[in-house]
């Protein structure tokens, strides 16, 4: 198949291979991708040499610290000459003359731990072929996991604080299916980025072939220069932004200001719960029950760490479009970034809690077939694509996650987010007021190109966007009261996730028309969809930009909702 350039001009011959001198579909390979190419040759490779320490050695260090803390009196006596308090195991060893045996035992334990870590590292390997990523591990009980490239839902690169010191990172490949993820822990930091790009290239349907450039002459560096280079790389690793500026144009990047982030945490449901507990605590203490203070106070103090933890995890949060999908990065000390390839998002929901309404803040959640095991920003599930943002941020994110975001989508989504009803959306009949006394006017749907919009909610505003190509099935449900009022509920089935696309209290006849229309459009959309092999699609244009026409959702006042 011929792979056209983003401008639409084919750059390949009949075989689909790039012509000499023609630009490659994904552009030239960067140094990280070049370094990772030798790990995608279908052969078995080992992980980072520091993997045993990062995975199991930390427990050993913790045990050693516990032992030393219990021998602190002996250590103080040895170094500063404090009085011998006695009573620790060292006294028994010295009094019985067992020093040699004790040292031998310590040496045997250390050697056994090091040997176990080394064997574990030797037995833990991975390989990347043209159609799968495989990992095998275990000493006594061997396990082997395999992730098919065509089932990849996302790739997450996480850099815990200790791993960053060693220049290592964890690469987790999310695959559709229960507990089907494959984790490579740990790899070199640069290698993890390169493997992510290379795996996405394989999954996208094309693997660039590039003539090997002549290797520059290698000049032997002194040991001091090597040490200086290592320190420089570690400093750059800590100070560099989580999202590489070269991976996406600046105009497509969405960031969360720290003030807005702090405000969204304060104006959350957890804050309401904390305030309610404090009020009950004050009332109970004033009523002669001071024991409530002893029971509840530790939990209230722990809530402070809850806020701090969520705030620090969300710092440096950024979302941007890259040629291989949407990339989300976040974290201050432990950093993480995940890439969601095109065609992996089954449903999107834009919602607004009541306390956020005066500030015009919104949140975006998604449904995907696979999830990473790590929590996302602010400790929320990684299905939260935008923890908090304004209308302009929502427009940018939706333009990245929807396959064909157009001006029609922009106008319809703005209408679905802020309108009180009675507009271009097909709404509920007036008799639905018996079932939805506050939200019946906002309840409604609208069909746009390639998607259906579902609007509902009065206190918690919600707008669900379901790409028809990803729809699994559609169900109409009608209970006794619904039949009495002549209404029905439509349920759009997608993969499991936080988004539940459903619409209740709709006119029964209108629901049947919606059912027939969605069924026909969903079949046509699924047949024409090629986003799961995004670089193998004629006319593919990476969705990495947000033009003013697509992202300029105006900030409407909420006077109509006052």
């Amino acid at each position: 198949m011929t792979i056209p350039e983003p401008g639409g001009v084919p750059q390949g011959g009949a075989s689909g291979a790039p012509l000499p001198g023609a630009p490659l579909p994904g552009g030239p390979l960067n140094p990280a991708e070049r370094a990772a190419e030798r790990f995608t040759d279908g052969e078995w490779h080992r992980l980072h040499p520091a993997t045993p320490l990062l995975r199991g050695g930390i427990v050993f260090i913790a045990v050693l610290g516990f032992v030393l803390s219990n021998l602190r009196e002996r250590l103080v006596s040895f170094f500063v000459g404090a009085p011998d308090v006695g009573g620790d195991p060292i006294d028994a060893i010295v009094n019985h003359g067992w020093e040699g045996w004790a040292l031998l035992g310590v040496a045997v334990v250390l050697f056994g731990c090091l040997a176990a870590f080394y064997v574990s590292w030797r037995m833990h390997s991975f390989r990347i072929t043209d159609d799968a990523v495989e990992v095998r591990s275990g000493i006594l009980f061997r396990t082997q996991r395999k992730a098919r490239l065509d089932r990849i839902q996302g790739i997450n690169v996480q850099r815990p604080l200790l791993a960053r010191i060693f220049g290592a990172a964890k690469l987790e490949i999310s695959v559709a299916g229960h507990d089907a993820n494959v984790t490579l822990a740990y790899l070199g930091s640069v290698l993890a980025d390169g493997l992510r790009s290379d795996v996405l290239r394989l999954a996208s349907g094309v693997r660039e072939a590039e003539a090997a450039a002549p290797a520059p002459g290698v000049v032997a560096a002194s040991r001091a220069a090597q040490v200086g280079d290592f320190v420089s790389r570690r400093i750059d690793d800590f100070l560099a932004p989580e999202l590489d500026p070269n991976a996406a144009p600046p105009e497509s990047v969405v960031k969360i200001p720290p003030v807005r982030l702090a405000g969204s945490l304060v104006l959350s449901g957890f804050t309401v719960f904390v305030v309610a507990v404090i009020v009950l605590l004050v009332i109970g203490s004033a009523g002669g029950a001071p024991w409530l203070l002893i029971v509840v106070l530790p939990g209230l103090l722990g809530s402070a760490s809850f806020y701090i933890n969520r705030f620090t995890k969300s710092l440096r949060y950024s979302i941007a479009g890259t040629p291989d999908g949407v990339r989300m990065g976040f974290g201050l000390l432990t950093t993480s970034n995940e890439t969601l390839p095109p065609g992996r998002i089954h449903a999107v929901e834009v919602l607004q809690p009541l306390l956020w309404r005066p500030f015009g803040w919104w949140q975006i959640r998604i449904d995907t077939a696979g999830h990473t095991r790590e929590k996302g920003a602010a400790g929320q599930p990684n299905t939260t694509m935008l923890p908090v943002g304004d209308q302009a941020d929502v427009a940018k994110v939706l333009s990245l996650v929807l396959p064909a975001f157009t001006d029609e989508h922009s106008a319809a989504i703005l209408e679905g987010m802020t309108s009180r009803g009675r507009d271009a959306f097909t709404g509920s009949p007036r008799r639905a007021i018996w079932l939805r006394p506050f939200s019946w006017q906002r309840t409604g749907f609208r069909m746009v190109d390639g998607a259906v919009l579902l609007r509902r909610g009065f206190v918690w505003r919600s707008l669900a966007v379901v790409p028809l190509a990803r729809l699994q099935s559609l169900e109409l449900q009608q209970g006794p009261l619904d039949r009495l009022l002549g209404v029905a509920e439509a349920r759009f089935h997608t993969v499991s996730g936080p988004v539940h696309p459903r619409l209740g209290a709709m006119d029964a006849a209108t629901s049947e028309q919606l059912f027939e229309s969605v069924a026909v459009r969903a079949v046509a959309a699924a047949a024409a969809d090629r986003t799961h092999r995004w670089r193998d699609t004629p006319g593919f244009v990476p969705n990495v930009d947000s033009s003013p026409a697509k992202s300029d959702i105006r900030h409407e006042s909420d006077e109509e909702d006052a």
Side-chain angles (χ1 to χ4, degrees):
M1 180 177 292
T2 300
I3 307 298
E5 280 291 290
V9 181
Q11 294 292 337
S15 64
L19 295 175
L24 293 172
L29 301 181
N30 59 43
E33 293 166 344
R34 283 189 176 278
E37 274 194 307
R38 68 184 183 90
F39 289 89
T40 57
D41 55 2
E43 301 296 329
W44 291 99
H45 299 275
R46 293 190 178 91
L47 302 173
H48 193 279
T51 296
L53 175 64
L54 296 173
R55 298 190 65 183
I58 303 302
V59 177
F60 176 74
I61 294 176
V63 172
L64 181 61
F66 175 78
V67 172
L68 293 178
S69 66
N70 283 274
L71 300 178
R72 58 185 179 274
E73 291 86 359
R74 171 66 62 177
L75 295 175
V76 170
S77 174
F78 177 79
F79 285 105
V80 302
D84 185 9
V85 296
D88 58 50
I90 301 295
D91 290 328
I93 293 174
V94 173
N95 293 335
H96 291 82
W98 294 342
E99 295 90 339
W101 289 106
L103 292 176
L104 179 61
V106 171
V108 169
V109 171
L110 289 175
F111 179 79
C113 292
L114 293 176
F117 291 157
Y118 175 76
V119 174
S120 174
W121 173 72
R122 292 280 299 183
M123 301 295 287
H124 196 154
S125 56
F126 71 95
R127 71 175 177 182
I128 301 176
T129 64
D130 291 339
D131 58 359
V133 178
E134 298 179 67
V135 177
R136 61 185 183 185
S137 60
I139 300 176
L140 298 179
F141 299 94
R142 299 285 289 166
T143 61
Q144 183 165 339
R145 302 178 71 90
K146 183 176 181 179
R148 287 170 42 191
L149 295 182
D150 60 352
R151 303 284 289 174
I152 289 179
Q153 304 298 310
I155 299 182
N156 183 38
V157 177
Q158 188 185 33
R159 295 177 173 88
L161 178 60
L162 186 61
R164 294 172 69 188
I165 297 176
F166 287 89
K170 179 191 299 183
L171 182 70
E172 183 180 6
I173 302 175
S174 304
V175 184
H178 177 67
D179 195 27
N181 293 3
V182 170
T183 302
L184 303 180
Y186 288 80
L187 300 168
S189 184
V190 176
L191 176 60
D193 289 329
L195 281 181
R196 169 175 55 189
S197 299
D198 221 3
V199 169
L200 288 172
R201 286 174 185 271
L202 291 170
S204 66
V206 65
R207 174 71 179 269
E208 277 84 359
E210 192 173 78
V218 179
V219 179
S222 64
R223 183 173 298 274
Q226 294 175 2
V227 174
D229 184 56
F230 175 81
V231 175
S232 176
R233 290 199 305 267
R234 295 291 72 76
I235 294 176
D236 291 342
D237 183 52
F238 275 87
L239 298 181
E242 185 56 33
L243 182 67
D244 185 358
N246 297 322
E251 59 268 20
S252 74
V253 178
V254 178
K255 296 185 177 180
I256 304 176
V259 175
R260 182 190 300 169
L261 176 61
S264 66
L265 294 176
V266 173
L267 300 176
S268 63
F270 183 76
T271 300
V272 175
F273 171 76
V274 171
V275 171
V277 171
I278 292 176
V279 171
L280 294 176
L281 180 63
V282 172
I283 295 176
S285 300
W291 57 270
L292 288 175
L293 184 63
I294 301 175
V295 174
V296 179
L297 186 59
L300 293 178
L301 295 177
S303 63
S305 64
F306 169 83
Y307 286 112
I308 295 174
N309 183 47
R310 288 205 164 189
F311 180 78
T312 55
K313 281 189 174 182
S314 295
L315 289 177
R316 302 201 309 170
Y317 192 95
S318 59
I319 313 169
T322 68
D324 288 310
V326 183
R327 183 174 299 180
M328 297 175 289
F330 58 89
L332 181 61
L333 299 178
T334 295
T335 65
S336 178
N337 64 79
E338 182 176 8
T339 301
L340 295 176
R344 268 58 175 183
I345 298 176
H346 293 246
V348 184
E349 182 181 29
V350 185
L351 62 124
Q352 184 185 59
L354 180 63
L355 296 179
W356 289 8
R357 192 173 301 178
F359 305 94
W361 295 340
W362 299 83
Q363 184 179 92
I364 297 180
R365 303 187 301 188
I366 61 172
D367 280 350
T368 59
H371 310 288
T372 64
R373 298 182 180 90
E374 307 296 336
K375 289 291 187 180
Q380 297 171 324
N382 54 29
T383 51
T384 300
M385 179 156 282
L386 180 65
V388 57
D390 56 23
Q391 290 181 3
D393 296 335
V394 170
K396 279 189 176 183
V397 173
L398 292 181
S399 68
L400 297 176
V401 303
L402 295 179
F405 191 82
T406 63
D407 294 341
E408 180 189 9
H409 292 83
S410 177
I413 287 172
L414 172 62
E415 201 170 48
M417 289 166 56
T418 60
S419 175
R420 299 184 63 178
R422 301 307 174 191
D423 45 30
F425 277 69
T426 302
S428 299
R430 181 173 294 275
R431 59 184 179 274
I433 193 173
W434 296 101
L435 299 175
R436 303 283 192 276
F438 299 105
S439 63
W440 70 275
Q441 293 190 72
R442 267 190 55 84
T443 302
F445 71 90
R446 180 173 174 179
M447 302 291 297
V448 295
D449 184 26
V452 58
L453 310 182
L454 309 176
R455 181 181 65 190
R456 58 178 179 164
F458 175 77
V459 177
W460 288 72
R461 291 178 174 177
S462 171
L463 177 69
V465 183
V466 183
L468 295 178
R470 306 270 80 82
L471 185 64
Q472 305 292 319
S473 65
L474 176 61
E475 174 189 6
L476 291 183
Q477 191 175 75
Q478 192 177 46
L481 188 56
D482 292 333
R483 288 197 297 270
L484 181 64
L485 296 175
V487 296
E489 180 182 25
R491 297 188 176 186
F492 295 76
H493 296 162
T494 64
V495 297
S496 177
V499 182
H500 303 285
R502 62 181 62 181
L503 200 63
M506 295 299 300
D507 179 74
T510 303
S511 298
E512 293 178 2
Q513 296 174 5
L514 172 65
F515 184 93
E516 298 295 336
S517 176
V518 168
V520 173
R521 294 192 183 193
V523 171
D529 179 62
R530 291 288 299 170
T531 55
H532 60 291
R533 303 287 282 181
W534 60 97
R535 288 191 187 273
D536 197 22
T537 304
F540 167 75
V541 179
N543 192 8
V544 297
D545 194 5
S546 295
S547 61
K550 292 182 180 181
S551 62
D552 186 20
I553 288 186
R554 301 182 305 276
H555 291 266
E556 302 285 346
S557 65
D558 282 342
E559 294 179 359
E560 63 178 19
D561 296 324

